[in-house]
Amino acid sequence: MAPDRAETAWQRRAACRGQDPDLFFPKGWGALYHAQIERAMAICDGCPVRAACLSAALTMEHGKSIAERAGIWGGATALERHRMAPSVGLPAPQTTASERRTEVAHFAAYHLAENEIADRLGLTRGYVHSLLRVIQGPTV
């Protein structure tokens, strides 16, 4: 939480309070990445303020691309929150082709495999492959 922002009552009751914040912002890919998500989700599962946390994240992230969203909030990943916006009355996020290219390039810069990028962004592997060819240019 930013030091200049006052803590809300629900945040003081959160199960993640006192936990290592890095746990809720997984980095990397593969099995370690997914294991970290599972550990964070397990804490969220028993949280008495999970709904308030999820609501705050959806409100805070409204209008942002998947790449601009981060962390586990209210027991949901960035992609899950991105997809659930319409179910909670927020307009469906519209991602342009340019934004998708930017998101794919963002994750490619971290050397994620095509299938991992596809999983994180909810895209097909073939589509990610074609975007990477455009972004990176033809290979020799």
Side-chain angles (χ1 to χ4, degrees), residues 117-137:
I117 295 170
D119 287 348
R120 289 195 185 186
L121 297 176
L123 303 171
T124 67
R125 186 172 183 258
Y127 185 64
V128 169
H129 178 77
S130 66
L131 286 178
L132 287 172
R133 287 184 57 117
V134 169
I135 293 164
Q136 298 170 344

Side-chain angles (χ1 to χ4, degrees), residues 49-68:
V49 295
R50 181 177 179 174
C53 179
L54 180 58
S55 177
L58 288 168
T59 301
M60 171 181 61
E61 296 174 335
H62 178 63
K64 294 183 178 179
S65 70
I66 295 171
E68 294 174 302

Side-chain angles (χ1 to χ4, degrees), residues 28-76:
W29 58 91
L32 293 175
Y33 172 81
H34 292 290
Q36 187 174 349
I37 289 174
E38 287 179 23
R39 286 194 310 276
M41 294 285 205
I43 293 169
C44 292
D45 283 345
C47 184
V49 295
R50 181 177 179 174
C53 179
L54 180 58
S55 177
L58 288 168
T59 301
M60 171 181 61
E61 296 174 335
H62 178 63
K64 294 183 178 179
S65 70
I66 295 171
E68 294 174 302
R69 298 165 188 246
I72 308 297
W73 290 80

Side-chain angles (χ1 to χ4, degrees), residues 4 16 23 27 36 55 74 93 96 113 116 126:
D4 61 339
C16 61
L23 176 63
K27 303 258 188 289
Q36 187 174 349
S55 177
T96 67
E116 186 72 23

Side-chain angles (χ1 to χ4, degrees), residues 46-109:
C47 184
V49 295
R50 181 177 179 174
C53 179
L54 180 58
S55 177
L58 288 168
T59 301
M60 171 181 61
E61 296 174 335
H62 178 63
K64 294 183 178 179
S65 70
I66 295 171
E68 294 174 302
R69 298 165 188 246
I72 308 297
W73 290 80
T77 65
L79 178 59
E80 290 167 339
R81 291 189 309 277
H82 183 76
R83 289 180 174 164
M84 72 175 57
S87 69
V88 296
L90 295 171
Q94 299 297 314
T95 305
T96 67
S98 175
E99 289 171 326
R100 281 191 294 278
R101 278 193 303 276
T102 300
E103 291 169 346
V104 168
H106 168 80
F107 289 117

